[in-house]
Amino acid sequence: MRLVSVELQGFRGFPTRQEVQLDADVVIVSGKNGTGKTSLFDAILWAITGTLSRLGEDHDPVSLYSRTGEVSVSLITTRDGRDRIRIFRRLSSGDQVLRVECDGDSFSGPLGEAKVIELFWPDAQFSSAPRESLARAFTQAVYLQQDLVRAFIESHDARTRRGVISELIGVGRVAELQRRLEQERASWSRATTELTKSRDALQARLSRTQSALGSLNATSEASEDVDADWRAWWNRTVSASASVPAPEVGPEHPRAAATVERAVNELRSLRDRQLGRSVMAGLALQSAAKMSDIESLEARLETLTAYVTEAEADRSLAARELDDAQAALSNERRELAGLADRDEQTAAFAKLGLSQLGERCPVCGQEYDRNEAIRRLTGLVEEAGVPPREADNSAVVSGTKKLEAAEHVLRTREAERRELQARVQSAQIDRARWLRTLEELGVSVEPASDLEARLSALALDTPGTEVEALITAGQAIGLRLARQFEASQRTELTRQRANLENDLTPIVEDLERREAAYAQATAAIEILRDHSAELLISQLSEIEPTLQRIYSRIDPHPSFREAKLVLEPHRTRGGISAAVVDVLEGVSSAEPAKILSSSQLNVLAASIFLALNLSMEAIPLQLAMLDDPLQSLDDLNLLGLVDVLRRVRDVRQLLISTHDSAFADLLSRKLRPSRGGNPTVVLEVSAWGRQGPVIHQRIVEPDSKALFLVAG
Amino acid sequence: MTDPAQLLTPSQLLGAVSSTLVGAGFRQVTQTKGARPPDILLFEDTFAIVAVGVFESCERLIREWSNCQGWLVETVSSHVSKAEAKAWDGYLVLLTTAVASDFEQLALEQIARDTSHTRKLVASGDRLRTLSDVDAALAPFLPVVSTLQQSNPEAILDDVRRLLRVHGVRPLTSDAIVAAFVNQENMVEAIFKSDRAGL
């Protein structure tokens, strides 16, 4: 990719619109200081990256003389000599607008920025700050800025230099490869785990199948033998038992064994029934004798019931008599109590009277016989002191005894009756059961005279040998059917085992290879992680010869005639330093500023810049921009630099500015085109005014012929 | 002190110079107007005319270099008009395998710094022991890069391949990883397939 033209308006030294043609192998911009040369170079930088970090993050590139207060730059490049790419960037009131036209499409905004990165520095997409990465790549390896010629060797520290070169050689791409490989390895592992589960499931099924096979007998059964016996047995069985229907399936059917089993069970039931009837009849016979006892028990129960009734009546009578006696006793006691109270009251009155006796009666006042009164009153007091007689409770006592006796008799008789009732109930239950047994046996109670004979006959009726033989034969047929089934099962399991092994083998092989791939991916990741410095060393080893060729051609120092980039002190964590070497004396220094003069340092810096420019295969724009590289170089160094540039033009489009007209002339001579080759253009910036610079374009003519001394 | 037996002979020097410059696209000029000094070769390409002189000693080089330059200037002027830019593109390469004394070294440096008429490139003694030293002396006439390098954003991936192989990864595997990465395909699957292909 190379530059074709740039149109700028309002950009720094270009207040008005100007278009500058750049479609040449070499463009030499010549003009005095302050005429806009650097502005032209910066415009190209700004169009691509959107920034001019050299001038500060907040720098506004708008020209003070811009009529619109806006800045716009339109840069056209060409790819492979055919496809044109146009980048249009405008800044207005702090807002930046970008449009990229490429391959017939137009991209704006973030898509435009992404497109710029894709076109001019694809590796930037792997950076955390792609636009900054693009700007760094451009200013480190494409555009050697006038103010920052020695920035790489003086302003940056060793770690920063390492970062710059790492970025330029594409470490970001390697980091992306490693990151993606780690992600894909993780996904692969998950998929392998799922496949492992499938394998394990198949292996488990295989194990079960093998285990089932191992548990089967090796004996097989010929189906035709079973057929004949099957038919014969069923004929006999159906004849022997009405409850066994004819089979609906043949011996080969899956339900054959179950059908035989049901028939055998029916035969067993038949046998058991027959046997059961016999036993039942025997038991019923044994119980028959006891059935007649129940009537006498019931008669006795009636008698006892009558006794109980009588005892209850006696008890009731005794109770009534006792109640009467208790009532009479109570009355008597009340009467006696009343008499006693009266006596006490009389005695109290008598005492009172005794105490109050005087010559006359205290009540009526008459004269009375006081001694007689005293004698009576004293008699009353003495009578009250005599304890009253007890009431006669003999009737109650005898009544109580009588009642107790009656109750005793009643309880005794009730107990007897309960016991007899229980016996009667038990006998009734036995009888009911016995009657049901007879009913089950189909035996009528009447006539009772021959009941025992009939029961005896039934008890002797046991199951015949035919049923037993059928049962045994049925079991044998069942066994043969089981063997036949096992044989077919063995065949099926063998088939299943073969299928499972066929299914399992490729899975096992696949898993082995998957695990091998995983291991190799792991190895690759570890190598990338642990040996990434070797990539840097490898790239440095490719850059160094170019650096050495360039530096030695300019040859700034009489002793330190070699330059190199050194990775030190630690390969994984160290930085990169620019070093100069005196090969003859075996002396080197990683601090060239202490050895080289300012001019010589400029040469070293320019050499490193050109070496990076020529070595960075990842940069699509094959361009080297040098803004006034004169920088106090002496004549010899200048000639050496120009000779280098002459060779660089073979592989790069060159854009060089200089304030020195003599140097411009030298460049135009030395970098003149060959006949039929791409042109060399000189842009002479003659003056600068508020309308911008005045630029004259001059095409440098080639020699009239290629060779003058060589004949033909 | 360098063993004289190990020094390149003048013939070897001249042969190496001729081979190098012709390999870089120069044509050797065999016939010129006027007598040519001995042990001087003349070459021309599109942009430059180069005379290369080989001297037995530093003393002789110091004594005779100006004659060589005079001859070169006259040759160029007799063939190339002053209006042509090539008239100012003459180079004089002065070589001697002799080791310069300090005094001679100063003189040689002065010759190299003399930019009048032609540009002089001087190499002597310990800087001219091997054939690659001859190339170094002729560096300004050779390409800066050995091959024209096309833009190749994935050049670093070639180094990744090499790195993996150096540390024991099979070539099929390393190729598969890088190819899959470039083509946005699954790299582990590519390893898997490469294993199958390699079986």
Side-chain angles (χ1 to χ4, degrees):
Chain A
M1 190 190 295
R2 34 189 287 150
L3 303 179
V4 174
S5 67
V6 62
E7 181 185 300
L8 49 165
Q9 180 177 1
F11 186 90
R12 298 194 72 211
F14 288 76
T16 58
R17 178 185 168 283
Q18 282 218 29
E19 183 175 2
V20 179
Q21 295 300 320
L22 302 170
D23 192 6
D25 274 4
V26 179
V27 178
I28 301 165
V29 183
S30 172
K32 294 189 184 335
N33 291 332
T35 52
K37 302 187 298 299
T38 300
S39 295
L40 177 65
F41 280 45
D42 284 347
I44 296 170
L45 171 63
W46 188 77
I48 293 174
T49 67
T51 61
L52 292 173
S53 57
R54 180 184 87 246
L55 302 177
E57 289 300 322
D58 298 328
H59 174 74
D60 190 343
V62 178
S63 168
L64 289 175
Y65 299 103
S66 168
R67 289 174 55 189
T68 60
E70 296 179 347
V71 58
S72 68
V73 176
S74 176
L75 178 69
I76 296 179
T77 65
T78 182
R79 188 169 53 183
D80 299 327
R82 299 188 310 272
D83 304 327
R84 293 229 160 171
I85 297 164
R86 179 170 176 261
I87 302 173
F88 174 77
R89 200 179 288 269
R90 189 179 82 222
L91 180 66
S92 174
S93 302
D95 292 331
Q96 209 176 98
V97 171
L98 170 69
R99 188 172 68 249
V100 179
E101 295 169 3
C102 170
D103 298 329
D105 289 324
S106 179
F107 307 85
S108 303
L111 283 178
E113 297 290 358
K115 194 64 180 175
V116 167
I117 285 168
E118 177 194 328
L119 291 169
F120 289 91
W121 183 229
D123 270 23
Q125 62 188 314
F126 304 118
S127 166
S128 57
R131 282 186 65 182
E132 286 80 359
S133 176
L134 169 64
R136 278 195 299 272
F138 204 81
T139 55
Q140 295 293 339
V142 177
Y143 175 19
L144 184 61
Q145 300 175 86
Q146 185 183 64
D147 304 334
L148 300 175
V149 171
R150 304 211 293 250
F152 185 84
I153 55 177
E154 285 190 325
S155 305
H156 295 335
D157 60 19
R159 290 282 295 165
T160 304
R161 281 193 288 272
R162 179 186 178 132
V164 164
I165 292 184
S166 296
E167 195 170 39
L168 288 173
I169 68 173
V171 162
R173 196 176 285 261
V174 177
E176 173 64 12
L177 187 153
Q178 182 182 335
R179 185 192 67 80
R180 265 186 50 197
L181 189 56
E182 286 172 347
Q183 276 184 343
E184 289 169 6
R185 183 185 62 164
S187 300
W188 185 264
S189 175
R190 286 193 289 275
T192 301
T193 299
E194 290 304 311
L195 191 60
T196 302
K197 291 179 185 173
S198 300
R199 178 203 62 188
D200 292 345
L202 275 176
Q203 278 182 335
R205 283 177 57 192
L206 181 61
S207 290
R208 287 196 296 273
T209 302
Q210 285 173 330
S211 176
L213 262 175
S215 65
L216 294 177
N217 286 332
T219 310
S220 62
E221 185 66 57
S223 60
E224 56 274 17
D225 293 337
V226 176
D227 269 345
D229 290 342
W230 168 278
R231 284 194 294 275
W233 183 81
W234 274 105
N235 288 338
R236 289 166 58 196
T237 301
V238 170
S239 301
S241 171
S243 60
V244 177
E248 296 174 351
V249 300
E252 71 291 342
H253 197 278
R255 293 206 315 269
T259 304
V260 168
E261 185 65 20
R262 278 197 296 276
V264 168
N265 286 338
E266 279 298 320
L267 288 173
R268 287 199 189 98
S269 297
L270 175 63
R271 178 194 61 188
D272 293 343
R273 282 199 300 275
Q274 287 177 347
L275 187 60
R277 280 175 62 85
S278 169
V279 170
M280 282 169 62
L283 291 173
L285 180 62
Q286 288 173 5
S287 302
K290 298 178 187 174
M291 295 303 111
S292 59
D293 292 342
I294 193 172
E295 292 166 355
S296 65
L297 286 174
E298 288 173 342
R300 282 180 58 197
L301 182 62
E302 283 183 22
T303 304
L304 267 181
T305 302
Y307 287 163
V308 166
T309 304
E310 187 180 323
E312 285 176 346
D314 290 343
R315 178 199 170 274
S316 296
L317 179 62
R320 280 197 303 275
E321 287 177 352
L322 177 60
D323 288 341
D324 291 343
Q326 284 175 335
L329 178 62
S330 292
N331 287 336
E332 187 180 352
R333 283 178 175 161
R334 272 197 302 274
E335 287 176 5
L336 290 176
L339 287 175
D341 286 340
R342 194 184 69 189
D343 287 344
E344 283 183 11
Q345 289 174 0
T346 302
F349 279 121
K351 285 180 182 175
L352 183 62
L354 282 173
S355 69
Q356 298 293 321
L357 280 179
E359 298 292 327
R360 297 184 176 267
C361 177
V363 174
C364 63
Q366 293 179 348
E367 290 180 359
Y368 64 99
D369 186 354
R370 191 167 177 270
N371 292 330
E372 181 67 17
I374 291 173
R375 189 184 64 73
R376 284 192 177 186
L377 289 174
T378 304
L380 287 173
V381 171
E382 287 173 355
E383 281 179 13
V386 175
R389 68 177 175 81
E390 292 287 337
D392 184 8
N393 65 347
S394 60
V396 170
V397 169
S398 67
T400 301
K401 287 181 181 174
K402 189 175 176 184
L403 178 61
E404 287 174 357
E407 287 181 341
H408 175 73
V409 170
L410 176 62
R411 281 195 300 273
T412 302
R413 289 185 180 172
E414 282 180 338
E416 289 174 0
R417 186 180 67 172
R418 280 195 300 274
E419 183 191 349
L420 190 57
Q421 268 181 336
R423 287 174 60 190
V424 168
Q425 279 176 358
S426 173
Q428 283 173 341
I429 290 170
D430 289 342
R431 184 181 174 85
R433 191 181 299 136
W434 183 77
L435 288 174
R436 281 197 299 276
T437 301
L438 291 183
E439 189 177 341
E440 281 183 30
L441 291 171
V443 175
S444 168
V445 176
E446 300 297 338
S449 57
D450 66 347
L451 178 60
E452 283 190 15
R454 284 183 279 131
L455 287 176
S456 178
L458 275 177
L460 294 174
D461 186 19
T462 55
T465 55
E466 173 64 6
V467 173
E468 203 61 50
L470 285 175
I471 290 172
T472 303
Q475 289 170 346
I477 288 180
L479 176 62
R480 291 164 70 183
L481 287 175
R483 286 180 179 152
Q484 193 174 45
F485 174 72
E486 281 198 359
S488 66
Q489 232 188 353
R490 193 178 317 108
T491 303
E492 175 59 20
L493 285 174
T494 303
R495 185 191 66 79
Q496 284 180 6
R497 181 177 63 183
N499 286 343
L500 285 170
E501 286 171 345
N502 286 340
D503 290 342
L504 195 55
T505 300
I507 291 177
V508 169
E509 290 172 358
D510 197 31
L511 271 175
E512 285 175 2
R513 284 198 295 273
R514 285 185 71 93
E515 284 162 6
Y518 180 90
Q520 289 181 74
T522 300
I525 289 167
E526 288 174 357
I527 290 168
L528 290 173
R529 191 171 51 223
D530 299 339
H531 300 282
S532 59
E534 293 178 32
L535 290 172
L536 187 58
I537 292 168
S538 171
Q539 289 291 313
L540 285 179
S541 69
E542 291 182 16
I543 296 172
E544 264 191 19
T546 304
L547 170 61
Q548 183 50 36
R549 277 195 289 270
I550 295 170
Y551 181 79
S552 65
R553 284 165 201 224
I554 307 175
D555 202 16
H557 196 281
S559 301
F560 290 91
R561 308 184 84 146
E562 282 193 10
K564 41 177 63 182
L565 295 170
V566 181
L567 179 63
E568 62 181 27
H570 302 289
R571 288 193 159 192
T572 55
R573 297 189 305 277
I576 289 178
S577 297
V580 289
V581 184
D582 182 345
V583 176
L584 293 180
E585 295 296 323
V587 175
S588 67
S589 172
E591 294 176 286
K594 293 185 178 178
I595 296 171
L596 304 180
S597 69
S598 175
S599 166
Q600 291 165 341
L601 280 172
N602 289 343
V603 170
L604 176 61
S607 301
I608 293 172
F609 166 80
L610 287 171
L612 291 176
N613 179 281
L614 294 172
S615 302
M616 295 300 108
E617 297 172 281
I619 299 178
L621 186 59
Q622 298 191 303
L623 166 72
M625 294 166 54
L626 295 94
D627 186 15
D628 214 338
L630 197 59
Q631 300 285 337
S632 71
L633 294 181
D634 63 19
D635 291 348
L636 199 60
N637 294 157
L638 269 176
L639 288 172
L641 175 62
V642 171
D643 279 336
V644 168
L645 293 175
R646 172 182 278 181
R647 299 301 165 185
V648 172
R649 79 168 285 170
D650 294 339
V651 292
R652 290 289 183 269
Q653 182 183 25
L654 290 176
L655 189 59
I656 309 168
S657 74
T658 178
H659 67 278
D660 188 311
S661 57
F663 183 55
D665 287 341
L666 177 64
L667 284 173
S668 67
R669 276 206 320 275
K670 291 288 190 178
L671 300 179
R672 67 187 180 277
S674 59
R675 293 207 69 81
N678 285 323
T680 296
V681 167
V682 177
L683 302 176
E684 292 169 344
V685 187
S686 59
W688 187 89
R690 291 190 181 80
Q691 300 302 309
V694 176
I695 300 176
H696 301 286
Q697 183 179 11
R698 175 169 64 84
I699 306 288
V700 176
E701 295 297 328
D703 290 334
S704 59
K705 55 181 179 177
L707 301 173
F708 293 87
L709 274 64
V710 176
Chain B
M1 185 67 164
T2 305
D3 181 357
Q6 292 179 331
L7 295 175
L8 292 169
T9 65
S11 297
Q12 287 173 329
L13 270 179
L14 289 170
V17 164
S18 179
S19 171
T20 299
L21 290 178
V22 169
F26 281 82
R27 301 272 297 273
Q28 186 166 2
V29 180
T30 53
Q31 290 181 339
T32 56
K33 301 172 185 173
R36 181 190 304 195
D39 294 334
I40 291 285
L41 298 180
L42 191 61
F43 299 87
E44 183 185 14
D45 78 346
T46 306
F47 296 106
I49 298 170
V50 180
V52 181
V54 175
F55 302 88
E56 296 166 351
S57 65
C58 295
E59 184 267 335
R60 190 168 172 196
L61 187 156
I62 293 167
R63 190 175 67 242
E64 295 181 12
W65 76 270
S66 61
N67 288 340
C68 296
Q69 179 174 253
W71 172 82
L72 176 60
V73 168
E74 194 172 325
T75 301
V76 169
S77 62
S78 65
H79 288 83
V80 184
S81 161
K82 283 187 179 174
E84 303 280 1
K86 194 178 243 183
W88 308 96
D89 254 331
Y91 291 80
L92 184 61
V93 180
L94 305 164
L95 306 175
T96 177
T97 55
V99 177
S101 64
D102 291 344
F103 174 78
E104 288 169 338
Q105 186 62 38
L106 283 173
L108 293 178
E109 285 175 11
Q110 267 187 326
I111 294 169
R113 292 196 163 277
D114 183 327
T115 57
S116 61
H117 301 293
T118 64
R119 184 169 173 208
K120 271 73 74 176
L121 303 172
V122 184
S124 68
D126 288 341
R127 287 182 56 207
L128 207 56
R129 282 183 294 183
T130 65
L131 294 175
S132 61
D133 289 340
V134 175
D135 287 351
L138 299 174
F141 310 115
L142 306 179
V144 173
V145 290
S146 55
T147 56
L148 181 59
Q149 293 183 332
Q150 300 296 328
S151 172
N152 181 11
E154 281 133 23
I156 187 69
L157 299 178
D158 292 334
D159 282 350
V160 170
R161 279 196 196 89
R162 279 193 290 274
L163 180 70
L164 293 175
R165 290 179 192 180
V166 160
H167 290 280
V169 176
R170 294 185 312 156
L172 264 181
T173 303
S174 60
D175 288 347
I177 290 173
V178 172
F181 175 73
V182 170
N183 295 327
Q184 297 285 319
E185 295 168 350
N186 188 295
M187 287 179 275
V188 184
E189 180 149 15
I191 295 171
F192 178 79
K193 286 178 181 173
S194 73
D195 274 356
R196 294 186 74 166
L199 287 175

